[in-house]
Amino acid sequence: MKVFVISIEEENSLRLNTFLCQSFFQNGNLEYTKVGVKGGELSAKEYFELAVKGRDKPLTPGELGCTLSHLAALKRFLETSDEFALILEDDAILKNDLSYQMLSDGLSKIDLPKNLLLSISGIQMKECRKVRGKFCEFSLLNKKVLKVVPDFYHRVNYTVSYIVDRKMAKTLLEYHKPVRRADDWSYLYDFDTSSNILMTYLVDHPVIDKGERDQGLSIIESERNTTADLLKSKYGTNLRKSIAKIKFKKFTI
């Protein structure tokens, strides 16, 4: 199983070094590939074509960079002969009792479906608590595994840590034409009815509130918070509009 770390940090940064010092990486002995695309450094033309053109709501530079980073990791994975890829973002909190070998061995002992995306973090986060599905007959490292039903794919969020097989890597590369947010899997089953999303809780993640300003926790949320929403008119609301229809006249020809 190939390991990819999604990070735009420099090799000697405190954030990245803190992440790699976790016991999962066996004091630097675990081989991994670091992938990171800085959306803010793309040309204006690239950004417009990929994140703005034809969209009601453009992707932020951070969202675009995050997605391109994950897609680059998937492409690198398909250049190998490995069956699975583990993709980790550099804010993942890997528990001390979780090791690469344990995870790899655990995967080999269960009958996983093909075209698989197995999220191993996120199910515990607020945005994912409404996810529904059926529990699999197997467990992974003594944790229950939920097979998400397509009606709740839109509730599956977070790309902090997940596992894909080769089929899903190919599916996601095609799915992101045009590019979506990295964790927007809402249309995945419509796109390919053989897709499978499974979720369990092995890896933790800092709690992120909307509009988070601390870039050490969330660069994307901090970025979203840099621009305030435009003021909205109090006129034209349902009640005022109903009263105006009675009180005022419209032009007739």
Side-chain angles (χ1 to χ4, degrees):
M1 178 172 64
K2 281 291 180 184
V3 178
F4 294 89
V5 174
I6 306 298
S7 178
I8 58 173
E9 297 291 314
E10 299 297 330
E11 295 294 342
N12 60 350
S13 78
L14 176 61
R15 178 186 175 116
L16 183 58
N17 284 330
T18 300
F19 172 74
L20 295 174
C21 281
Q22 296 179 93
S23 61
F24 183 85
F25 290 94
Q26 303 167 5
N27 299 316
N29 294 322
L30 178 64
E31 184 178 341
Y32 68 91
T33 300
K34 176 177 168 289
V35 183
V37 177
K38 295 182 179 180
E41 295 184 358
L42 297 174
S43 70
K45 184 178 187 299
E46 286 178 300
Y47 177 69
F48 177 78
E49 291 291 334
L50 293 172
V52 179
K53 186 177 180 180
R55 298 174 185 267
D56 291 331
K57 184 178 180 181
L59 301 178
T60 68
E63 288 172 330
L64 177 60
C66 179
T67 300
L68 294 179
S69 298
H70 282 268
L71 295 180
L74 295 175
K75 290 176 184 177
R76 298 277 293 272
F77 165 46
L78 291 175
E79 293 171 358
T80 74
S81 58
D82 288 67
E83 183 180 0
F84 297 107
L86 168 63
I87 300 179
L88 299 165
E89 293 182 342
D90 65 4
D91 55 355
I93 301 172
L94 299 150
K95 299 176 182 180
N96 290 332
D97 60 353
L98 178 66
S99 71
Y100 170 86
Q101 195 60 53
M102 287 171 54
L103 184 56
S104 182
D105 290 346
L107 291 172
S108 67
K109 294 176 182 177
I110 55 181
D111 186 20
L112 292 166
K114 301 296 183 183
N115 206 8
L116 167 73
L117 189 157
L118 170 57
S119 169
I120 58 175
S121 180
I123 190 69
Q124 79 278 13
M125 302 291 283
K126 181 179 179 180
E127 288 81 358
C128 295
R129 289 177 190 164
K130 292 182 180 179
V131 171
R132 295 290 185 270
K134 296 181 179 180
F135 285 109
C136 299
E137 294 181 358
F138 56 79
S139 61
L140 178 60
L141 302 183
N142 298 318
K143 294 286 187 178
K144 294 185 293 186
V145 179
L146 184 74
K147 185 178 188 300
V148 183
V149 294
D151 297 285
F152 285 88
Y153 274 25
H154 68 289
R155 289 287 187 183
V156 181
N157 294 286
Y158 295 103
T159 50
V160 61
S161 54
Y162 63 97
I163 295 165
V164 293
D165 63 7
R166 300 185 68 82
K167 172 63 175 170
M168 179 55 75
K170 295 175 183 176
T171 298
L172 290 175
L173 288 171
E174 290 299 317
Y175 175 69
H176 282 279
K177 297 178 182 179
V179 174
R180 295 169 176 261
R181 291 193 329 272
D183 65 348
D184 176 5
W185 297 309
S186 60
Y187 191 72
L188 185 57
Y189 192 81
D190 304 77
F191 180 78
D192 186 341
T193 57
S194 72
S195 63
N196 292 281
I197 297 182
L198 275 58
M199 300 186 79
T200 191
Y201 177 29
L202 296 175
V203 176
D204 223 326
H205 185 277
V207 176
I208 304 296
D209 294 320
K210 184 178 181 180
E212 178 61 59
R213 293 179 181 272
D214 184 354
Q215 291 198 14
L217 291 178
S218 176
I219 294 173
I220 291 177
E221 281 297 340
S222 176
E223 178 183 80
R224 287 172 178 161
N225 200 45
T226 58
T227 303
D229 288 338
L230 295 175
L231 295 175
K232 296 180 180 179
S233 174
K234 65 180 180 181
Y235 300 97
T237 56
N238 289 338
L239 179 59
R240 292 187 65 100
K241 186 165 60 176
S242 297
I243 295 172
K245 284 180 178 179
I246 298 172
K247 187 175 180 180
F248 300 100
K249 296 179 180 180
K250 65 179 179 179
F251 182 86
T252 56
I253 299 176

